[in-house]
Amino acid sequence: MDALYAAIVLGSVGLVLGILIGICGKFLTTQNDNIVEEIYELLPKINCGGCGNPSCMQMAEKLLQGESIDNCRPCNLENKQVIIKKLEEIRKKPKK
């Protein structure tokens, strides 16, 4: 009976903490998180490593830090231009 009680208590605590983490994740995202995802969606997502990064998601993060989109050879010209435009808009915004 004690084991059942312990399992119920631990399961309940885990469920409550999981819900709280999910809620916090929704409200505590930063603008950069959304921008990284937008840039990632424009990349080819083949994780070829040709740019020197192990994944396209990491390439998206590096682009925000100033890496050149020209390092991504599989990315088509149209998407490269959209990415460049997004990055220029971000850099023009005043920092808070």
Side-chain angles (χ1 to χ4, degrees), residues 39-46 48 51 56 59 63 68-84:
I39 292 172
Y40 172 72
E41 289 302 318
L42 294 167
L43 293 172
K45 296 184 276 303
I46 57 175
C48 67
C51 62
C56 291
M59 176 63 176
L63 287 169
S68 173
I69 185 62
D70 293 329
N71 293 341
C72 182
R73 291 183 188 98
C75 189
N76 66 46
L77 183 60
E78 183 180 319
N79 284 359
K80 283 183 180 182
Q81 291 171 342
V82 173
I83 291 170
I84 290 169

Side-chain angles (χ1 to χ4, degrees), residues 4-52:
L4 179 62
Y5 177 72
I8 291 172
V9 169
L10 285 175
S12 300
V13 168
L15 179 66
V16 169
L17 289 176
I19 291 170
L20 287 174
I21 289 171
I23 291 170
C24 289
K26 288 285 185 192
F27 290 106
L28 298 177
T29 59
T30 64
Q31 184 179 5
N32 279 355
D33 292 340
N34 297 331
I35 294 167
V36 168
E37 289 181 23
E38 287 177 28
I39 292 172
Y40 172 72
E41 289 302 318
L42 294 167
L43 293 172
K45 296 184 276 303
I46 57 175
N47 299 328
C48 67
C51 62

